């Protein structure tokens, strides 16, 4: 408390002292000095003015000193001088006014210019704002686009990564596939080798068998030659005589011995030896061919199969050159129409479907193929056999196919494959609606029920069955077997009705095909010596032998549905178009 | 209290001395020159505020007779680099007012006075005093933290007599960290009339090591004990024309009674013998 008071005391002292000082030193003198200074200014101004007037007066006085005159005149002149001075001053004044006017004018102009400039500035600023706004917008867009670009890049990167991964897996799979294919091929080739071994074994057996038979035959012949045998004077000689009477061209005597008894057909055919008119439905006009109309090279190798199309215009031949060639029969010549490729080995059999739009060919590459006839395109390949496919046929509904193969199986294809183990290599097949008949290596003809997929009947022949054919109304089955006999089997009674043979007629191969004529009244077959034999069904005798044009064994024969043409194809690449003209 | 402090600052700043400038009679004039009266600001410098005086006297003189202007009082050349208030307190404190100064235009006393060719010389001197004061008070930290424009503002405030403009910056120079209790050292100069030394300046702390605030008396006792040796009060200790009590705290004096150059200019003059 004492300190506060102490503080107050010295501070108060200072404050009071300052106030007093100011009173004494400042306030007392402030006003006086101010007024004094004002007076001083005024007096200075007066001094300046008086000096100026003084100097003027002195000038005047100096001028008048040179001419002495009266005071009056001096006064007058003085007045004149004064007047002149006044005039001068007036002039100065007017000049100053003028200058002022000019300055005012320039001020107005400058103001105007300033206003214009302001307006310009405003508009420029407005434009700038506009531009800035645009810039902001564009920047926004730019950012967006950059963002999108980043996303796309990321997506692209992920896709690339996926692609790389897939590439790797693909490479691995390819490798696996290659290895598997190699293994497969190895296995297949091994199996083929084994199969061929088996076939060779079978062939050897057959040869042995054949030789045995021949030996036996010779022995019997020898025995028979020793003893005079009672000749049977009935049928044989009669048949011979009738045959030689009928035939117009080349004939050859039947073999003296025929084992199989011939039975005359009962009802369907009359005993009259007419052969030409047996209309059995479709075909109008079956003519037994007499001359070769056209001989041509059909293939670059053996020609194995031939077939007319249902419309009789087209002809298909198949050969060892792996092609099926299509020919058009035009005015007695076969014009090449096209070739169906796709098979990897020789063609063994050909069939058209009932409409003539598809062609089915069986091949040695274990597969059967279907082409469309119009555009020659390969439609289906039916693989699955493990041996050469020797025959393939459409079933009647053209939607199913049955194929028979060297691997002793029949396969029924409904675009789903069914395998039936037949037990023996199948050489040929024919189909009815319900039944499939297959001719086999083991001399049997097997009848299969399609739905049950099982054997209904079996028929045994004397030699390996090489060919089967059905007549038009599916009542008779034509078979050809390696014992060089061509037989007609009645399907209803399931017994051999007729047997055809000829002296020179020998089956050239396991797949030598014989065929009915379209009306079923003739049977045609090619022989190993290159002759085409035509038998008359009614008479059972050889109708004609055409042997001039082939140079090697005939593999297959086809009779056109119109009945006018017959085509035969041979081992030696040739095909011959026959007719009766 | 604070209002009092503000008043003190204003009174200190706006202090004036009535002065009569008379031209030296031996100067060559075209006609007689009247004396010029002027209220001089205590806190400014002679050459800064005497333009009107110079103009007034040049009116009566020929140009070839004019050299650098200088002032003297009763024969003593007045140093322009001392504040005007200090010059008055030191030389003419107890004389009758107005203060009569004689104006010379010739025979510049080279040995006694510094030349002052232009205002930037006064500015340089002023700024150097401020820096010296801050070196003592804050080890120059505050003045060095200021920008050039702040320094300029201090000078312009003084030149144009702008109290608020000046003190806006100067108050920073009057601050101190609270734990210290005051400045590091007090910037002061004690001027003596009867001495060959121009002034006394020493290092002196405002707070003693044991926390006791030093007063004006403590300072004088320490630095110039002659001033307060009590032999019937032979000396007056004058600051800004007043005699503060000896118990006034030195820190407060430095904050409020310093000149614009931040120094406490203390005059010790012989007491008038009435």
């Amino acid at each position: 408390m004492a300190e506060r008071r102490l503080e107050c005391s010295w501070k108060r002292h200072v404050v009071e002292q300052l106030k007093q000082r100011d009173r004494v030193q400042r306030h007392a003198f402030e006003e006086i000095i101010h007024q004094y200074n004002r007076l001083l200014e005024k007096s200075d101004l007066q001094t300046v003015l008086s000096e100026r007037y003084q100097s003027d007066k002195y000038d005047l006085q100096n001028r008048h000193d040179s001419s002495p005159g009266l005071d009056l005149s001096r006064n007058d002149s003085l007045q004149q001088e004064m007047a002149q001075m006044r005039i001068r001053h007036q002039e100065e004044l007017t000049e100053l006014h003028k200058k002022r006017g000019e300055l005012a004018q320039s001020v107005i102009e400058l103001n105007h210019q300033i206003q214009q400039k302001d307006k310009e500035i405003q508009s420029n600023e407005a434009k700038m704002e506009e531009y800035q706004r645009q810039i902001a917008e564009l920047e926004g867009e730019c950012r967006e686009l950059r963002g999108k670009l980043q996303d796309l890049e990321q997506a692209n990167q992920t896709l690339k990564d996926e692609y790389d991964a897939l590439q790797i897996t693909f490479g691995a799979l390819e490798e696996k596939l290659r290895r598997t294919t190699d293994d497969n091929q190895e296995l297949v080739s091994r199996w083929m080798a084994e199969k061929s071994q088996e076939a060779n074994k079978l062939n050897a057996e057959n040869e042995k068998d054949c030789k045995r038979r021949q030996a036996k035959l010779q022995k019997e012949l020898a025995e028979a030659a020793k003893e005079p045998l009672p000749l049977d004077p009935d049928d044989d000689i009669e048949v011979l005589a009738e045959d030689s009477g009928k035939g117009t061209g080349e004939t050859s005597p039947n073999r003296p011995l025929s084992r199989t008894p011939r039975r005359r057909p009962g009802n369907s055919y009359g005993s009259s030896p007419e052969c030409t008119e047996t209309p059995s439905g479709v075909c109008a006009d079956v003519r037994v061919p007499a001359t070769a109309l056209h001989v041509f090279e059909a293939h670059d190798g053996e020609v194995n199969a031939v077939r007319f199309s249902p419309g009789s215009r087209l002809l298909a031949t198949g050969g060892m050159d792996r092609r099926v060639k299509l020919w058009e029969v035009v005015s007695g010549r076969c014009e090449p129409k096209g070739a169906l490729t796709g098979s990897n080995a020789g063609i063994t059999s050909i069939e058209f479907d009932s409409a003539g739009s598809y062609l089915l060919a069986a091949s040695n590459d274990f597969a059967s193929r279907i082409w469309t006839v119009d555009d020659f395109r390969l439609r289906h390949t039916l693989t699955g056999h493990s041996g050469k496919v020797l025959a393939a046929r459409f079933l009647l509904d053209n939607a199913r196919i049955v194929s028979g193969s060297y691997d002793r199986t029949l396969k029924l294809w409904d675009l789903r494959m069914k395998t039936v183990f037949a037990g023996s290599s199948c050489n040929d097949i024919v189909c009815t609606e319900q039944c499939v008949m297959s001719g086999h290596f083991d001399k049997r003809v097997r009848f299969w029920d399609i739905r049950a997929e099982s054997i209904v009947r079996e028929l045994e022949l004397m030699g390996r069955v090489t060919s089967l054919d059905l007549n038009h109304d599916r009542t008779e089955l034509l078979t050809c077997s390696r014992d060089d006999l061509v037989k007609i089997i009645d399907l209803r009674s399931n017994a051999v009705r007729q047997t055809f043979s000829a002296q020179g007629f020998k089956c050239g191969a396991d797949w030598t095909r014989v065929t009915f004529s379209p009306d079923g009244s003739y049977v045609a077959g090619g022989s190993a010596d290159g002759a085409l034999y035509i038998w008359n069904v009614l008479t059972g005798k050889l109708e004609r032998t055409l042997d001039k044009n082939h140079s090697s064994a005939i593999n297959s024969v086809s009779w056109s549905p119109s009945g006018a043409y017959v085509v035969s194809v041979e081992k030696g690449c040739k095909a011959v178009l026959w007719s009766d003209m | 209290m604070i209002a009092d402090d503000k008043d003190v600052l204003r009174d200190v700043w706006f202090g004036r001395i009535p002065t009569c400038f008379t031209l030296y009679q031996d100067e060559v004039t075209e006609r007689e020159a009247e004396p010029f009266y002027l209220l001089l600001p205590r806190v400014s410098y002679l050459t800064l505020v005497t333009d009107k005086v110079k103009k007034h006297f040049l009116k009566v003189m020929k140009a070839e007779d004019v050299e650098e202007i200088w002032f003297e009082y009763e024969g003593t050349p007045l140093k322009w680099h001392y504040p005007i208030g200090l010059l008055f307190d030191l030389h003419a404190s107890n004389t009758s007012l107005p203060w009569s100064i004689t104006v010379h235009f010739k025979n510049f006393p080279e040995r006694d006075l510094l030349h002052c060719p232009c205002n930037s010389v006064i500015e340089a001197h002023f700024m150097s005093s401020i820096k010296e004061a801050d070196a003592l008070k804050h080890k120059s930290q505050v003045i060095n933290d200021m920008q050039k424009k702040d320094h300029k503002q201090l000078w312009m405030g003084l030149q144009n007599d702008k109290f608020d403009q000046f003190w806006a910056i100067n108050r920073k120079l009057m601050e101190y960290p609270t734990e210290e209790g005051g400045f590091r050292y007090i910037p002061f100069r004690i001027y003596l009339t009867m001495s060959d030394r121009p002034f006394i300046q020493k290092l002196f702390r405002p707070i003693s090591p044991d926390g006791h605030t030093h007063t004006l008396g403590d300072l004088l006792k320490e630095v110039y004990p002659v001033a307060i040796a009590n032999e019937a009060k032979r000396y007056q200790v004058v600051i800004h024309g007043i005699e503060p009590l000896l118990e006034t705290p030195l820190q407060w004096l430095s904050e409020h009674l310093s000149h614009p150059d931040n120094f406490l200019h203390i005059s010790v003059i012989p007491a008038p013998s009435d």
Side-chain angles (χ1 to χ4, degrees):
Chain A
M1 212 42 191
E3 213 172 271
R4 273 290 284 283
R5 276 190 25 219
L6 205 65
E7 178 184 302
C8 290
S9 74
W10 56 255
K11 202 182 275 196
R12 234 183 306 129
H13 173 81
V14 165
V15 168
E16 278 169 16
Q17 285 276 298
L18 282 170
K19 291 273 190 287
Q20 187 181 0
R21 175 203 79 181
D22 281 343
R23 255 183 304 192
V24 167
Q25 294 180 359
R26 180 182 181 149
H27 299 308
F29 291 87
E30 207 166 359
E31 191 60 33
I32 286 181
I33 291 181
H34 177 64
Q35 294 299 338
Y36 173 81
N37 283 330
R38 274 184 67 194
L39 282 170
L40 206 57
E41 270 178 45
K42 267 195 204 155
S43 101
D44 282 341
L45 192 63
Q46 297 286 8
T47 326
V48 167
L49 281 171
S50 73
E51 266 187 11
R52 205 194 290 175
Y53 288 136
Q54 282 262 338
S55 67
D56 287 343
K57 200 173 86 178
Y58 281 146
D59 282 343
L60 282 167
Q61 274 194 345
N62 285 341
R63 243 179 275 135
H64 275 279
D65 272 344
S66 55
S67 60
L70 296 162
D71 283 340
L72 209 63
S73 61
R74 220 195 291 158
N75 268 342
D76 276 344
S77 57
L78 205 69
Q79 276 183 12
Q80 267 184 17
E81 293 290 343
M82 298 282 283
Q84 274 184 12
M85 231 170 45
R86 211 181 300 131
I87 291 170
R88 233 187 300 136
H89 286 161
Q90 296 269 39
E91 284 174 11
E92 270 186 52
L93 200 64
T94 44
E95 258 198 61
L96 286 171
H97 277 305
K98 219 195 299 175
K99 251 196 222 154
R100 201 182 67 178
E102 283 174 13
L103 286 172
Q105 182 71 17
S106 63
V107 162
I108 289 172
E109 261 180 47
L110 287 171
N111 270 345
H112 183 61
Q113 281 187 9
I114 283 177
Q115 276 182 7
Q116 278 191 339
K117 292 281 188 268
D118 277 340
K119 249 184 262 165
E120 272 185 45
I121 286 175
Q122 270 185 9
S123 66
N124 282 346
E125 277 186 5
K127 267 191 238 163
M128 260 175 52
E129 274 182 26
E130 179 73 29
Y131 290 148
Q132 279 190 350
R133 203 174 44 76
Q134 278 186 3
I135 285 174
E137 268 181 40
L138 289 170
E139 276 185 0
E141 269 185 53
C142 186
R143 253 179 281 128
E144 263 183 53
L145 288 171
R146 248 185 260 134
K148 267 193 226 160
L149 184 69
Q150 270 189 359
D151 292 339
L152 284 173
E153 277 184 359
Q154 275 183 3
N156 189 31
Q157 189 59 38
T158 43
L159 283 174
K160 274 198 200 145
D161 293 338
E162 276 184 37
Y163 175 71
D164 287 337
L166 285 173
Q167 281 275 64
I168 292 172
T169 37
F170 174 67
L173 286 173
E174 256 193 341
E175 184 62 36
K176 221 161 105 180
L177 174 71
R178 223 181 303 130
R179 263 186 269 127
T180 321
T181 323
D182 289 340
D183 289 342
N184 185 38
Q185 278 193 351
E186 204 197 301
L187 288 169
V188 162
S189 61
R190 257 194 269 157
W191 194 12
M192 285 308 302
E194 292 209 13
K195 273 275 169 69
S196 67
Q197 275 187 11
E198 269 188 48
N200 287 339
K201 260 190 259 169
L202 270 171
N203 275 342
E205 269 189 39
N206 277 338
E207 295 243 352
K208 255 195 273 177
D209 205 32
C210 201
K211 279 208 186 88
R212 232 186 295 131
R213 261 204 305 152
Q214 278 202 4
K216 213 160 109 190
L217 203 60
Q218 280 194 359
K219 220 180 10 181
E220 284 183 0
L221 267 172
E223 281 183 11
K226 280 190 214 140
E227 313 170 11
L229 269 171
L231 281 171
D232 203 7
D234 331 320
D235 296 306
D236 293 318
I237 302 174
E238 278 179 32
V239 166
L240 247 160
E242 280 191 42
D243 266 355
S244 57
K246 256 194 253 161
T248 46
E250 303 94 353
T251 57
S252 68
N254 250 337
R255 275 188 299 181
L257 281 172
S258 83
R259 284 310 181 101
T260 49
R262 281 191 202 177
R263 261 188 270 144
R264 288 266 162 224
N267 31 11
S268 359
Y269 305 93
S271 47
S272 59
E274 286 149 38
C275 53
T276 46
E277 42 177 280
T278 41
S280 45
V282 170
C283 63
D285 180 19
V286 177
R287 303 196 291 272
V288 179
T291 50
L293 285 180
H294 188 196
V295 180
F296 55 94
E297 295 273 342
H299 285 266
D300 300 324
E302 276 191 40
V303 188
N304 285 336
V306 65
R307 186 78 67 178
F308 270 101
S309 71
S312 300
R313 286 204 60 87
L314 282 178
L315 179 67
T317 58
M320 290 306 276
D321 65 347
R322 310 190 304 245
R323 280 199 198 75
V324 177
K325 292 206 183 155
L326 290 172
W327 313 83
E328 205 171 84
V329 178
V330 171
S331 60
R333 295 185 64 79
C334 292
E335 303 299 327
K337 194 143 180 289
L340 305 173
T341 53
S343 177
N344 298 325
I347 306 290
T348 53
S349 102
I350 299 178
E351 195 192 36
F352 284 90
D353 71 336
S354 58
S357 48
Y358 288 97
L359 189 145
L360 168 66
S363 161
N364 281 341
D365 65 348
F366 315 161
S368 320
R369 286 181 182 73
I370 300 172
W371 289 262
T372 36
V373 175
D374 296 323
D375 57 8
F376 312 146
R377 273 177 52 196
L378 176 61
R379 292 289 167 170
H380 300 285
T381 305
L382 311 172
T383 53
H385 279 296
S386 47
K388 307 190 265 212
V389 183
L390 298 168
R393 295 280 181 266
F394 283 102
L395 290 187
L396 282 174
D397 59 356
N398 288 340
R400 287 178 292 177
I401 288 153
V402 62
S403 62
S405 158
Y406 189 71
D407 63 358
R408 299 171 299 197
T409 63
L410 289 171
K411 283 194 196 284
L412 179 68
W413 310 81
D414 192 5
L415 305 173
R416 292 171 289 146
M417 187 187 74
K418 291 198 178 73
T419 302
V420 184
F421 193 72
S424 168
S425 171
C426 166
N427 288 334
D428 202 1
I429 303 176
V430 294
C431 317
T432 62
E433 292 103 337
Q434 307 92 2
C435 188
V436 170
M437 288 152 258
S438 59
H440 292 264
F441 190 90
D442 60 353
K443 309 176 204 165
R444 287 195 172 85
V445 175
R446 290 185 171 83
F447 299 78
W448 306 80
D449 182 278
I450 291 167
R451 267 182 287 266
E453 292 161 23
S454 59
I455 300 175
V456 179
R457 274 198 303 249
E458 272 185 41
L459 196 59
E460 188 167 6
L461 298 177
M462 302 299 280
R464 299 197 286 273
V465 183
T466 69
S467 166
L468 295 176
D469 195 18
L470 283 176
N471 70 341
H472 176 257
D473 48 6
R474 311 266 190 283
T475 51
E476 293 175 349
L477 176 70
L478 181 69
T479 69
C480 174
S481 48
R482 251 357 247 279
D483 60 352
D484 307 323
L485 296 174
V486 178
K487 292 189 164 75
I488 292 184
I489 298 168
D490 185 351
L491 289 174
R492 285 170 295 200
S493 57
N494 202 29
V496 176
R497 181 113 60 82
Q498 266 179 293
T499 309
F500 304 105
S501 67
Q503 194 176 14
F505 178 74
K506 288 187 179 40
C507 276
D510 275 1
W511 49 84
T512 304
R513 302 276 190 244
V514 299
T515 181
F516 269 117
S517 67
D519 59 353
S521 49
Y522 294 95
V523 165
S527 157
D529 58 353
L532 183 64
Y533 290 81
I534 301 176
W535 289 270
N536 187 319
V537 170
L538 286 174
T539 62
K541 294 196 180 356
L542 181 67
E543 180 77 20
R544 199 165 290 170
T545 312
L546 309 165
D547 61 356
K548 282 287 183 346
N549 298 81
H550 277 289
S551 45
S552 53
I554 295 177
N555 278 335
S556 183
V557 183
S558 180
W559 206 306
S560 78
S562 63
Y565 302 98
V566 172
V567 173
S568 56
V569 297
E570 61 160 46
K571 257 196 173 74
C573 321
K574 281 213 288 253
V576 180
L577 177 68
W578 305 88
S579 182
D580 65 343
M581 292 176 290
Chain B
M1 285 306 162
I2 302 171
D4 275 350
D5 287 347
K6 204 78 195 299
D7 282 341
V8 167
L9 292 175
R10 293 192 88 89
D11 288 341
V12 164
W13 178 271
F14 288 110
R16 295 279 187 271
I17 299 175
T19 318
C20 172
F21 289 91
T22 321
L23 189 63
Y24 184 54
Q25 68 249 32
D26 286 348
E27 298 283 336
V28 177
T29 59
E30 291 181 347
R31 58 176 186 279
E32 192 187 342
E34 291 99 352
F36 193 81
Y37 286 87
L38 194 57
L39 279 175
L40 294 177
R42 270 182 167 273
V43 299
S44 187
Y45 300 91
L46 270 174
T47 40
L48 193 59
V49 297
T50 48
D51 281 337
K52 278 202 187 136
V53 174
K54 191 165 162 187
K55 214 168 44 169
H56 170 82
F57 287 120
L58 286 179
K59 275 189 281 197
V60 300
M61 298 185 71
K62 287 208 275 257
E64 58 266 25
D65 297 329
V66 171
E67 287 164 14
E68 184 168 348
I69 187 172
W70 57 279
F71 307 95
E72 55 95 352
Y73 172 72
E74 292 193 351
T76 318
L78 295 176
K79 302 183 201 297
W80 63 264
H81 60 279
Y82 281 13
I84 295 171
L86 170 65
L87 287 169
F88 178 77
D89 290 342
L90 204 52
H91 298 296
S93 195
N94 292 313
T95 61
S96 59
L97 296 168
W99 188 23
S100 297
I101 294 183
T102 317
V103 179
H104 295 256
F105 283 101
K106 288 187 113 70
N107 302 318
F108 192 90
E110 299 286 342
R111 282 178 48 202
D112 297 314
L113 295 184
L114 301 168
H115 283 282
C116 183
C118 61
N119 279 3
S120 45
V121 175
I122 314 174
E123 182 184 357
H125 166 70
F126 175 67
M127 290 314 298
S128 115
S129 297
I130 288 186
K131 286 177 185 168
E132 187 184 341
D134 197 58
L136 289 168
K137 288 198 279 189
H138 305 117
K139 292 202 263 197
S140 296
Q141 274 167 4
V142 178
I143 194 72
N144 284 340
D145 281 344
M146 283 186 194
Q147 296 175 338
K148 195 153 169 65
K149 68 173 170 75
D150 295 335
H151 297 177
K152 206 68 181 171
Q153 187 169 337
L154 287 170
W155 166 247
M156 299 304 282
L158 176 71
Q159 188 185 33
N160 301 328
D161 192 29
K162 297 271 192 250
F163 173 78
D164 295 311
Q165 186 184 18
F166 177 81
W167 271 98
I169 308 296
N170 199 44
R171 63 181 177 78
K172 294 188 205 160
L173 292 165
M174 292 304 176
E175 288 165 354
Y176 54 86
T178 31
E179 61 268 22
E180 303 282 328
F183 302 135
R184 193 151 177 267
Y185 296 106
I186 299 291
F188 70 91
R189 286 188 183 145
I190 303 181
Y191 298 85
L192 312 167
T193 41
M194 252 74 74
S195 170
D196 41 2
R197 289 205 299 199
F199 51 79
I200 304 173
Q201 182 176 350
K202 286 212 177 119
L203 291 177
F204 192 81
R205 290 193 189 275
I207 308 284
S208 72
D210 45 341
H212 158 67
T213 45
H214 286 144
T215 64
L216 181 60
D218 295 334
L219 171 69
L220 288 169
K221 213 186 319 181
E222 177 74 28
V223 165
Y224 190 59
V226 174
I228 49 175
N230 246 341
E231 291 160 28
K233 210 161 183 297
R234 278 182 52 199
Y235 289 100
Q236 275 180 314
V237 177
V238 182
I239 311 177
H240 282 292
I242 62 166
E243 281 186 76
L245 298 176
L246 288 178
E247 51 264 30
T248 316
L250 198 56
Q251 175 66 26
W252 186 89
L253 279 175
S254 178
E255 285 174 37
H256 296 87
L257 251 61
S258 291
H259 279 258
D261 62 356
N262 279 230
F263 266 89
L264 262 182
H265 295 288
I266 307 172
S267 312
V268 175
I269 53 175
S273 49
D274 329 286

